[in-house]
Amino acid sequence: MSISAAPPHLFSPLRLRGLTAPNRLWVAPLCQYSAVDGFVTDWQTVHLGSFAVGRAGLIIAEATAVVPEGRITPHDAGIWSDEHAAAWSRVLSFTAEQGVPVVVQLAHAGRKAAVRAPHEGTGPGPALQGGWETVAPSAVAFEPLPVPRELTVAEIKQLQQDFVAAALRAVKVGFAGVELHAAHGYLLHEFLSPLTNHRTDQYGGSFANRSRFLLELTAQVRAALPADYPLFVRLSASDWVPGGWDIAETVQLCRELEALGVDFLDISSGGNDPHQQINIGPGYQLHFARAVREAVQIPVGCVGLITTPQQAQQALQDGTADVVLAGRQFMREPSFALRAAHELGQEISWPRQYRAARR
């Protein structure tokens, strides 16, 4: 789908290989810090289930670690074993009954791992006291967190295999797709940015070298997935710091990801440097999504303080994106999609249990 295509309506379906999302108002991944030893709990069932009842077009589940050391906090979800994958079954069974697909975001937090959950305060988490060592492309700290250990090439290759194994578990347990989390200052983003990647081997230096980890990983995951199974990638389009990762490099990378068989690009920004300067306001990241959409032929999603149905529809109408993702608004209002359909004059199927509230 290119920028010249007729603009879709927010409540038109979108097909990505074997997946069809019934509408284009999607739930962005939202960390919940409510897992136990990596296992999701009833919280995720109710949390994600409420968005399915509210008829979001698709849900991207929270950052889910591919190895234990890849968790942001000790309370993060994981998918590093078959047992961890199986814990998602109850969530996926319920959302499937509602006709709402769920995609899992596969993640490694890199140098931003092993911290306290937001409800516990800030700074390094208690796991560090037990020797939870953080790793990164280079020994550069996200201040005031500890300096991470630089990954060896052998460890990079192993992590790529860990992502592939996690993706295959996601397929088996019933996720509708997988998303590689290469945004917000976590490991894959750390490799991309010259602010955090100071390596002098084949994984550092030039744009091609800094992109190598993600591009190799993308090719490996795509090759392992079934042909009809969609692959998403989330990117931070800018570090918002001079000399950091920027939109020009993002556009170049997105073209290469498209060539490797990625089906959807989820465009966000920031998170890689504590000195970032972001002018936050409604739709503050939309120009990044538009730049990417003008450069590729696959669907692109936008995100960032999109809080009204009219704002969401306008992003599609003016060619900014093919999908709108919202986070805070869905947390405030799990039935945001139902309200959006009403305000935009669109018919949408309500859960039978809630139809008395339709009018």
Side-chain angles (χ1 to χ4, degrees):
M1 182 177 294
S2 70
I3 195 70
S4 61
H9 196 280
L10 194 63
F11 287 89
S12 60
L14 178 65
R15 185 173 179 82
L16 300 168
R17 297 189 187 244
L19 163 67
T20 299
N23 68 62
R24 298 165 186 246
L25 184 55
W26 296 1
V27 179
L30 299 164
C31 288
Q32 296 298 290
Y33 311 110
S34 299
V36 178
D37 295 327
F39 291 95
V40 294
T41 67
D42 286 347
W43 177 263
Q44 278 82 6
T45 302
V46 175
H47 166 68
L48 299 180
S50 68
F51 304 139
V53 168
R55 292 304 190 254
L58 182 143
I59 300 164
I60 304 180
E62 64 194 88
T64 302
V66 300
V67 293
E69 301 80 17
R71 289 173 292 171
I72 306 166
T73 80
H75 310 294
D76 283 25
I79 194 167
W80 60 79
S81 75
D82 291 347
E83 292 76 19
H84 284 90
W88 284 96
S89 297
R90 186 178 180 192
V91 179
L92 298 175
S93 175
F94 181 81
T95 55
E97 288 175 2
Q98 303 306 311
V100 177
V102 179
V103 169
V104 65
Q105 186 182 67
L106 303 180
H108 190 300
R111 67 177 188 160
K112 294 175 72 176
V115 298
R116 298 178 187 276
H119 63 272
E120 296 175 330
T122 59
L128 278 178
Q129 299 169 13
W132 185 354
E133 180 182 48
T134 59
V135 295
S138 304
V140 180
F142 186 87
E143 299 174 355
L145 300 180
V147 176
R149 178 177 60 78
E150 181 175 305
L151 287 163
T152 67
V153 171
E155 288 172 324
I156 289 171
K157 300 296 186 183
Q158 180 58 55
L159 279 171
Q160 290 172 334
Q161 291 307 303
D162 293 331
F163 271 92
V164 171
L168 292 176
R169 291 186 193 104
V171 175
K172 184 176 180 180
V173 78
F175 281 104
V178 296
E179 176 173 88
L180 301 179
H181 192 3
H184 302 161
Y186 299 121
L187 185 66
L188 302 182
H189 183 182
E190 291 165 17
F191 269 89
L192 295 174
S193 174
L195 299 178
T196 43
N197 186 342
H198 298 175
R199 300 177 73 96
T200 57
D201 62 8
Q202 68 266 40
Y203 290 101
S206 66
F207 167 84
N209 285 356
R210 286 182 280 113
S211 303
R212 191 181 306 278
F213 184 10
L214 177 58
L215 292 174
E216 288 180 346
L217 171 59
T218 300
Q220 292 168 17
V221 172
R222 181 68 271 169
L225 293 174
D228 65 346
Y229 196 85
L231 175 60
F232 296 19
V233 176
R234 174 166 255 203
L235 295 166
S236 279
S238 173
D239 285 337
W240 296 92
V241 175
W245 180 256
D246 60 24
I247 184 58
E249 290 184 308
T250 299
V251 166
Q252 184 177 349
L253 176 63
C254 287
R255 292 191 179 110
E256 297 188 34
L257 291 169
E258 179 182 21
L260 289 174
V262 168
D263 302 292
F264 181 79
L265 295 163
D266 178 2
I267 304 301
S268 186
S269 71
N272 194 45
D273 193 295
H275 303 105
Q276 64 186 15
Q277 296 293 319
I278 306 177
N279 295 319
I280 295 179
Y284 70 101
Q285 298 178 136
L286 293 183
H287 63 292
F288 293 135
R290 186 180 183 91
V292 171
R293 188 173 187 262
E294 290 174 342
V296 300
Q297 298 297 309
I298 56 176
V300 173
C302 62
V303 66
L305 293 185
I306 299 171
T307 58
T308 71
Q310 295 74 22
Q311 184 187 11
Q313 176 57 35
Q314 186 62 42
L316 272 59
Q317 189 70 32
D318 66 15
T320 294
D322 303 286
V323 167
V324 173
L325 296 105
R328 291 179 180 88
Q329 190 58 38
F330 270 110
M331 285 196 288
R332 298 183 188 108
E333 184 184 3
S335 59
F336 180 41
L338 290 175
R339 177 169 69 86
H342 174 74
E343 292 188 12
L344 295 174
Q346 296 294 302
E347 288 294 324
I348 188 171
S349 174
W350 279 56
R352 61 177 176 79
Q353 296 90 338
Y354 281 14
R355 287 176 188 166
R358 187 173 180 177
R359 300 189 189 284

